[in-house]
Amino acid sequence: MTKPGLKPKLDIESGPFILPPLPYDEGALAPIISARTVGLHYGKHHKGYVDKLNDLVKETPFATMSLEEVVENTAGQAKHSKIFNNAAQAWNHAFYWNSLSPDASMPGAALGKAIDRDFGGMDTLKKHLVALATDHFASGWAWLIVQDKKLALIDTPDAHTPMTEGATCLLTIDVWEHAYYLDRQNVRKDYVAGVVDRLLNWTAASANFDKTL
Ligand code: FE
């Protein structure tokens, strides 16, 4: 495992899909998420999805598609479920790392207004997001999305992503046990509450939101 403070070395030689670099050092999210958890989550789990995807798409039409196109073209098709699972997890994880930041951030003007309009304010959004992510049954994801021009919070099981339902994703929280178990054991709520309180990247969420206007 890479030491905290050092960027992991990227493996980009094995296929068309690459493991994008972490946007910060592995130790940057501590103490909410430890360097050890980020190192394993990014360097083993996320990398594993990318590597497996590259194996699965060899000599198929999916090998020349973008990652988003693979996800969209395999969603809901039983015969492509392995490719979907690995492609969606590769996309979800890249999106997750960019949903977090060690730097304090605030929503931009347009997103801030939409949060007031659709949730009655940031405190209510955060309360609902913590509850949704904590209560999600088994493995999956909690998301802030835009659908039909409104903000919404939804959870998805396993590798599923709102991208395939016509939604624009603004932020996500990984609630698979590998995201928190080393740090928090079974107390998912402590991880989720820490992420929502301290680590969500509202600058990235605002940039995603502004593209929907
Ligand atoms: Fe994960």
Side-chain angles (χ1 to χ4, degrees):
M1 188 170 57
T2 307
K3 286 181 189 164
L6 295 176
K7 295 270 194 225
K9 195 163 170 276
L10 299 179
D11 175 12
I12 56 171
E13 63 202 286
S14 56
F17 298 106
I18 63 157
L19 181 67
L22 264 185
Y24 30 72
D25 295 333
E26 289 183 2
L29 306 179
I32 310 294
I33 309 173
S34 69
R36 188 166 172 237
T37 290
V38 173
L40 285 166
H41 196 175
Y42 173 74
K44 300 290 183 191
H45 292 275
H46 186 177
K47 181 177 185 300
Y49 296 123
V50 174
D51 289 348
K52 182 81 181 165
L53 176 63
N54 282 327
D55 278 350
L56 290 167
V57 300
K58 261 181 205 154
E59 293 167 20
T60 76
F62 299 115
T64 57
M65 291 182 189
S66 70
L67 187 57
E68 287 85 352
E69 287 171 333
V70 176
V71 173
E72 280 164 1
N73 283 284
T74 54
Q77 297 184 49
K79 67 179 175 182
H80 293 313
S81 63
K82 278 188 190 166
I83 293 178
F84 171 80
N85 283 336
N86 286 280
Q89 284 295 77
W91 192 90
N92 292 349
H93 280 86
F95 194 81
Y96 170 66
W97 301 122
N98 284 306
S99 294
L100 306 180
S101 170
D103 304 320
S105 59
M106 297 273 289
L111 178 57
K113 238 188 224 177
I115 289 170
D116 289 344
R117 180 193 67 203
D118 296 337
F119 293 100
M122 181 59 101
D123 289 349
T124 311
L125 183 163
K126 286 183 169 180
K127 198 172 86 185
H128 287 308
L129 180 54
V130 169
L132 179 76
T134 302
D135 295 342
H136 176 81
F137 184 73
S139 297
W141 300 83
W143 306 83
L144 174 64
I145 61 166
V146 180
Q147 191 144 37
D148 302 327
K149 299 190 181 292
K150 283 192 72 177
L151 296 175
L153 296 169
I154 64 162
D155 54 333
T156 58
D158 303 325
H160 287 252
T161 167
M163 185 223 291
T164 60
E165 308 293 328
T168 300
C169 303
L170 303 189
L171 290 174
T172 195
I173 303 174
D174 188 340
V175 295
W176 285 56
E177 283 187 342
H178 64 226
Y180 60 88
Y181 207 86
L182 283 175
D183 299 333
R184 312 280 172 179
Q185 290 74 54
N186 60 317
V187 190
R188 184 194 285 173
K189 187 174 184 182
D190 285 356
Y191 154 74
V192 168
V195 166
V196 170
D197 197 40
R198 302 266 301 276
L199 295 181
L200 288 181
N201 186 344
W202 291 103
T203 305
S206 300
N208 294 330
F209 181 75
D210 289 348
K211 286 183 215 151
T212 70
L213 298 176

